[in-house]
Amino acid sequence: VQLLVSGGVLLQPGGSLRLSCSAPGSIFGLYTMGWYRLAPGKQRMLVASITTVRSTRYADSVEARFTISRDNAKNTVYLQMNSLKPEDTAVYYCNAQRGDSLWGQGTQVTVSS
């Protein structure tokens, strides 16, 4: 199973970016989708997740700045990131979870002036 991620880039602080992750239709509607990130020198952390009934959860550090959403018709989950900060710099990973855990390839997001 492959999760396809797009959207990584270099941004200035205060900028916005949307990450996308597409999954096979056979699994998308059944799985909780999430975004994790791995920053240099830190452990991988959950950024946001959204269940099949669209219940969301956010890390404290991104609450009110990031929004996760899912489009079941397109089998795609999005992470809208606003007011980006240098500390948001990380490799971002898409995750699909339902007992087992599936991962997409990471995409680098760099926030720097």
Side-chain angles (χ1 to χ4, degrees):
V1 176
Q2 191 171 20
L3 306 181
L4 300 177
V5 178
S6 62
V9 75
L10 170 64
L11 293 165
Q12 290 188 335
S16 296
L17 179 67
R18 188 175 78 164
L19 303 181
S20 302
C21 172
S22 298
S26 59
I27 70 166
F28 186 82
L30 301 175
Y31 281 64
T32 288
M33 302 299 295
W35 290 94
Y36 288 73
R37 70 187 185 191
L38 180 61
K42 297 185 178 181
Q43 291 188 329
R44 185 173 60 190
M45 62 169 275
L46 174 68
V47 176
S49 65
I50 184 167
T51 69
T52 56
V53 294
R54 293 184 168 81
S55 176
T56 58
R57 174 185 172 191
Y58 295 92
D60 290 344
S61 58
V62 307
E63 186 86 53
R65 297 188 299 121
F66 291 10
T67 302
I68 189 170
S69 61
R70 64 191 295 160
D71 186 335
N72 289 344
K74 296 182 178 180
N75 299 324
T76 300
V77 61
Y78 304 97
L79 183 67
Q80 177 67 44
M81 303 186 290
N82 298 327
S83 301
L84 282 159
K85 303 176 181 181
E87 50 264 44
D88 295 318
T89 295
V91 178
Y92 285 73
Y93 295 90
C94 176
N95 173 265
Q97 191 158 8
R98 186 196 183 206
D100 59 336
S101 190
L102 308 173
W103 293 92
Q105 85 279 14
T107 187
Q108 177 70 48
V109 174
T110 302
V111 184
S112 174
S113 56

